[in-house]
Amino acid sequence: IQQSVAEDVVSIELDEFHRKVITESYNQVVCDVLASKIDPKFEGKTIIFCVNDAHADLVVSLLKKSFESQYGEIEDDAVMKITGKADKPLQLIKRFQNETRPKVAVTVDLLTTGIDVPSVTNLVFLRRVRSRILYEQMLG
């Protein structure tokens, strides 16, 4: 049996992909589906990888609305943006690792490597990852 192995770097036209992914309507549908599958009161945690900081802001806002629509009122810190542009990102990372909330961390590149959160049960990629090595690190 011959196995196929992904190349280390894949060349993909990202601009077109990002234009389609960073729309409110697309992200609303994604967040509604996520809310139907992920209960923010459940013990497991989720990391969502976004294209850029503005995309992360959009996803946080829409996901909070989707969770409230699906489950009623949720804690404001159940979903948080953890990016380099967030206020005190290292404290947010430690909080995500050690505390009950946030349940969902929305990030760009900050939580891709060097972080261990055993309670993470879901990874959501709302961005393309060109490097197989980086992708494997994100999964780890």
Side-chain angles (χ1 to χ4, degrees):
I1 298 175
Q2 184 177 3
Q3 281 186 313
S4 62
V5 177
E7 296 179 34
D8 287 341
V9 176
V10 179
S11 295
I12 300 169
E13 178 54 52
L14 293 178
D15 291 338
E16 180 67 23
F17 175 78
H18 289 163
R19 275 194 293 281
K20 291 178 181 178
V21 169
I22 308 177
T23 65
E24 187 166 341
S25 59
Y26 175 85
N27 285 281
Q28 184 63 66
V29 170
V30 169
C31 289
D32 288 345
V33 170
L34 289 174
S36 74
K37 307 286 183 194
I38 300 170
D39 185 338
K41 296 173 181 138
F42 185 68
E43 288 188 29
K45 293 192 174 205
T46 299
I47 300 175
I48 300 175
F49 295 100
C50 292
V51 173
N52 57 34
D53 203 68
H55 185 214
D57 286 332
L58 176 65
V59 169
V60 167
S61 173
L62 295 175
L63 189 57
K64 284 181 178 183
K65 289 176 188 173
S66 294
F67 277 153
E68 287 177 0
S69 173
Q70 182 78 24
Y71 301 101
E73 191 172 335
I74 63 163
E75 299 289 333
D76 187 54
D77 60 353
V79 180
M80 292 182 103
K81 179 177 82 169
I82 302 178
T83 69
K85 293 186 178 181
D87 186 36
K88 300 179 183 170
L90 295 178
Q91 281 185 305
L92 293 176
I93 291 171
K94 286 183 182 181
R95 182 174 174 188
F96 183 63
Q97 288 176 304
N98 301 319
E99 296 181 23
T100 305
R101 288 188 307 272
K103 290 293 190 173
V104 179
V106 182
T107 190
V108 179
D109 287 324
L110 205 57
L111 301 177
T112 56
T113 60
I115 181 172
D116 184 31
V117 185
S119 57
V120 170
T121 55
N122 305 296
L123 293 177
V124 179
F125 291 87
L126 295 181
R127 58 169 276 193
R128 288 201 177 178
V129 180
R130 292 183 45 181
S131 166
R132 178 187 55 85
I133 295 165
L134 177 60
Y135 176 75
E136 289 175 3
Q137 288 175 334
M138 293 164 90
L139 289 179

